[in-house]
Amino acid sequence: MTLHLVRHGRPLIRRSVPAAQWDLDPASYDDVWALRSSGRLPTAAAWFASPEPKAVQTAQLLTDGDVGILDDLREHERSGEWVDDFAGAVRRAFADPDAPAVAGWEPLATCRERVVPAVRRVLDVHGSDDVVLVGHGTAWTVVVAALTGRPPDLRRWESLAMPDVLTVEPDRRA
């Protein structure tokens, strides 16, 4: 069994709207279709997505099959004002996961406590099947760390494209 964690395509950013409500930017469809035809994703797999529109829309472009929507796969919750130094704020979230990095953000530990068990439940149900989860960069960085027993890889997080895929052979002991 291989787990494929897909980061959504580029969103249509609207600063006055929370990121969790952003749609996929139609200008990014070609990038999503390129990932679909790249051979990096399995032809047969169980597919699930975060409920955020950009993730659902990415999943719908990547597969003709059914995609389950799992609320617990949503991104690290970030409400409030626009953050100009977004990468710096995310680094602060990883440095102190028990505290909000920015007013209105959930502590990263809360995201981890929601997302990692959800991914484990999917893996338990699908046993030896390949699984594709379409969601978000910060949440996937937390998941990869939890499933591999390694620290979060912030360099990898910073280099993730939109869309992109992280492939993990989960260590069931981690």
Side-chain angles (χ1 to χ4, degrees):
M1 181 267 285
T2 302
L3 174 62
H4 305 270
L5 299 168
V6 176
R7 184 184 194 189
H8 59 78
R10 280 187 331 271
L12 186 59
I13 295 172
R14 296 181 356 221
R15 288 183 178 215
S16 63
V17 174
Q21 297 173 18
W22 291 347
D23 286 307
L24 187 63
D25 186 337
S28 73
Y29 287 12
D30 286 344
D31 297 333
V32 177
W33 288 323
L35 176 58
R36 179 179 175 144
S37 64
S38 72
R40 295 174 65 196
L41 296 172
T43 54
W47 283 75
F48 296 91
S50 156
E52 295 187 24
K54 58 190 168 278
V56 172
Q57 294 159 2
T58 298
Q60 291 171 334
L61 292 175
L62 288 174
T63 183
D64 294 327
D66 293 334
V67 177
I69 306 301
L70 298 178
D71 186 60
D72 286 341
L73 297 182
R74 66 191 183 279
E75 178 62 297
H76 177 217
E77 293 179 9
R78 304 172 183 135
S79 59
E81 300 295 319
W82 178 262
V83 176
D84 286 323
D85 183 15
F86 179 75
V90 171
R91 283 192 295 277
R92 286 193 306 278
F94 278 99
D96 187 3
D98 294 317
V102 172
W105 285 24
E106 76 177 335
L108 191 58
T110 303
C111 174
R112 181 182 61 237
E113 291 164 7
R114 170 175 36 82
V115 176
V116 172
V119 171
R120 289 190 191 280
R121 285 190 302 271
V122 169
L123 297 177
D124 288 346
V125 167
H126 289 280
S128 61
D129 297 337
D130 283 342
V131 173
V132 179
L133 304 179
V134 182
H136 313 278
T138 305
W140 292 162
T141 300
V142 168
V143 167
V144 170
L147 294 181
T148 62
R150 297 185 190 126
D153 186 346
L154 291 181
R155 283 191 186 155
R156 180 65 180 118
W157 171 81
E158 289 175 337
S159 71
L160 282 172
M162 291 187 201
D164 209 342
V165 62
L166 299 166
T167 302
V168 182
E169 300 290 339
D171 180 350
R172 297 292 188 151
R173 297 166 294 157

